[in-house]
Amino acid sequence: MVVAATLVFWSLFPTPAPAQTLSFAKRDFPVGSDSITVAVGDFNGDGVPDLVVANEGSNNVAVLLGNGDGTFRAAQFFPVGINPVWVVVGGFNGNRVQDLAVPNINANNISVLLGNGDGTFPAGRTFAVGSLPTSVTVGDFNGDGKLDLAAANWNSGDVSVLLGNGDGTFQPARTFPSGTNPISPAVGDFNRDGLPDLAVANYGNNNISVLLGNGDGTFRPAVYFPAGTLPSFVAVGQFNADGILDLAVTNAWSNDVSVLLGNGDGTFQAPRSFAVGSSPLSAAVADINGDGRLDLAVANYGNPSVGDLGNVVVLLGNGDGTFQPALPFTVGTNPESVVVGDFNRDGKLDLAVANFHSNSVSVLINTSGAPAPTYTLSASPSSVTVTQGSTGTSTITVSPQNGFTGGVTLSASGLPSGVTAAFEHADADGQPHGYHGHGHRHPHGHLGHPAAEDHHAQPHRECPGRAGLHPLGLAE
């Protein structure tokens, strides 16, 4: 008696789901006048993310305590200096309670507000910096375990570094030349020596200056790398998964983001540009769609003279340093700043956006489905018929799309009694794992003994120049 079995490969694999689309549900929360920058923290220690907003027009910061469901309590206001334009969160006095640092652009100083741990802040203490500080970032620049500050100074063309004393106070600022109209500093270890460095967007030079840290609170002379026209913000991330930090720069006049891939020695490759929208002023780096690759969220101020009130766009990363076309989302009027957090604690990252002319924060709750891997499968031949005592082979090709690098599990079911299937993983060069001399180019299945293998496929910031103002309300 002859027993025949036919294995039809297409019946073994589900059709891959279509590429994921990103979606958000928006809700707006009122804050103060000319809300210009937003940051995320946990200011009352309840494990729920809160928001803090710098209000340039009302000379205060607004703190919105989170409810954990994507909503926030009414804003509480705490005074700072004249025209606050930025806010960062850090622990400056070692009590494990989050504090705030706020540059006041028309007072040439930084207000430091030490948190009470219940969501409130006492009156701040100010520390002098350079002329017209536009933003500030946090790092441990001298390796003493205490947080320090680095502020970009628009008029004096430098960065002020204030070393922390660990009690909420700071040593007098030491300045390091950066370029013309430095507007945004960021911290990273760009030459992989274990010491924090600085990257600064120079709005007036159309470039980025990189200051490599010496580890004692000082920095080497700036080295310059080109960006787009009127760079307004610089963010740090690892966009091509090579273990080396890269830069993403929003360019307010060329309406794009420049991505500069790092070489790992403190230098960067030539920028590659990705269109975003009108007058991008800031960006946030995160894996927004949960596919394991870093994405960009960008706040576009817009162009009010032509009725463009701005928006936020998300550029999904491909994992190789490139990005998919920008996906736009509606927020308030003239968004200036965007940050990322899980505001409803569902495991998906949401967005918060400070809207300058609607005096609000837009919270965009991520309503997207789980990310779906995208790939195609083919088998040659598409079916195999075998008789008792014989075997058959088919080559199965897994073709990734859209940068997919996940695992694909092959299995067989519904086989006649006594018939088994096994899968052998071959690299794209034709060599199976653990074997030599085979000519198969891709994973293939045998009828014979059971197995299933996981196969990994390889393959005030006003509209710059358009309203007669520089970013941050600086008159031309």
Side-chain angles (χ1 to χ4, degrees):
M1 181 178 69
V2 175
V3 177
T6 300
L7 182 61
V8 181
F9 287 94
W10 282 113
S11 69
L12 303 181
F13 309 105
T15 302
Q20 180 198 19
T21 57
L22 206 59
S23 60
F24 294 93
K26 180 179 77 77
R27 183 167 179 178
D28 294 326
F29 299 88
V31 289
S33 176
D34 299 340
S35 45
I36 192 166
T37 307
V38 60
V40 180
D42 179 9
F43 304 122
N44 59 348
D46 63 354
V48 175
D50 309 314
L51 296 175
V52 59
V53 180
N55 297 310
E56 185 182 8
S58 48
N59 297 331
N60 58 24
V61 294
V63 173
L64 296 83
L65 298 179
N67 295 316
D69 59 358
T71 66
F72 292 83
R73 305 178 207 174
Q76 304 176 76
F77 298 94
F78 304 94
V80 288
I82 302 173
N83 302 129
V85 290
W86 204 262
V87 58
V88 293
V89 178
F92 303 128
N93 60 349
N95 66 352
R96 304 195 178 197
V97 173
Q98 292 186 339
D99 311 311
L100 305 177
V102 183
N104 304 298
I105 194 167
N106 285 318
N108 298 331
N109 61 25
I110 292 177
S111 294
V112 174
L113 289 73
L114 301 179
N116 292 319
D118 59 358
T120 65
F121 295 83
R125 181 171 176 180
T126 59
F127 300 88
V129 289
S131 178
L132 301 184
T134 55
S135 60
V136 65
T137 190
V138 176
D140 181 7
F141 302 125
N142 60 346
D144 63 354
K146 303 167 186 175
L147 286 183
D148 312 313
L149 300 175
N153 302 304
W154 177 275
N155 257 12
S156 48
D158 52 29
V159 173
S160 294
V161 174
L162 296 82
L163 298 180
N165 295 316
D167 58 0
T169 66
F170 293 83
Q171 299 175 33
R174 182 168 181 181
T175 58
F176 301 89
S178 172
T180 302
N181 304 135
I183 190 169
S184 168
V187 178
D189 181 8
F190 304 125
N191 60 348
R192 298 187 291 176
D193 63 353
L195 305 175
D197 311 311
L198 291 173
V200 184
N202 297 308
Y203 188 85
N205 286 138
N206 297 332
N207 64 21
I208 301 297
S209 55
V210 173
L211 294 79
L212 297 179
N214 294 316
D216 59 359
T218 67
F219 293 83
R220 304 179 208 174
V223 178
Y224 300 93
F225 302 92
T229 307
L230 304 187
S232 54
F233 186 87
V234 59
V236 178
Q238 198 179 113
F239 302 125
N240 60 345
D242 62 355
I244 297 172
L245 291 181
D246 312 310
L247 302 177
V249 184
T250 60
N251 302 300
W253 187 258
S254 49
N255 298 329
D256 55 20
V257 169
S258 298
V259 174
L260 291 77
L261 298 180
N263 295 317
D265 59 358
T267 66
F268 293 84
Q269 300 174 32
R272 182 166 180 179
S273 297
F274 301 89
V276 290
S278 183
S279 298
L281 295 182
S282 72
V285 177
D287 180 11
I288 297 171
N289 65 342
D291 65 354
R293 298 184 284 266
L294 287 181
D295 312 311
L296 293 173
V298 178
N300 294 315
Y301 182 92
N303 187 351
S305 66
V306 296
D308 180 358
L309 301 182
N311 61 11
V312 163
V313 298
V314 174
L315 294 81
L316 298 178
N318 295 318
D320 59 359
T322 66
F323 292 83
Q324 298 176 34
L327 303 172
F329 301 94
T330 300
V331 289
T333 304
N334 304 130
E336 291 257 2
S337 169
V338 58
V339 293
V340 176
D342 183 5
F343 302 124
N344 61 344
R345 298 184 292 179
D346 65 351
K348 293 184 287 189
L349 291 179
D350 313 308
L351 305 179
V353 184
N355 305 302
F356 190 78
H357 278 136
S358 52
N359 301 326
S360 66
V361 168
S362 294
V363 174
L364 282 69
I365 297 299
N366 192 338
T367 58
S368 309
T374 303
Y375 56 88
T376 60
L377 295 169
S378 61
S380 180
S382 60
S383 65
V384 176
T385 300
V386 296
T387 59
Q388 188 175 27
S390 66
T391 62
T393 300
S394 178
T395 298
I396 304 167
T397 301
V398 182
S399 302
Q401 296 179 349
N402 297 324
F404 173 63
T405 58
V408 177
T409 299
L410 308 181
S411 62
S413 62
L415 300 176
S417 177
V419 177
T420 59
F423 297 93
E424 182 179 303
H425 178 190
D427 288 325
D429 63 1
Q431 300 301 316
H433 284 303
Y435 296 91
H436 299 280
H438 295 263
H440 305 290
R441 297 184 59 194
H442 293 284
H444 52 278
H446 297 283
L447 288 180
H449 42 257
E453 182 177 339
D454 186 52
H455 168 66
H456 290 276
Q458 301 296 327
H460 100 72
R461 290 190 184 209
E462 293 280 357
C463 179
R466 293 190 171 93
L469 296 175
H470 287 301
L472 304 157
L474 297 167
E476 290 186 299

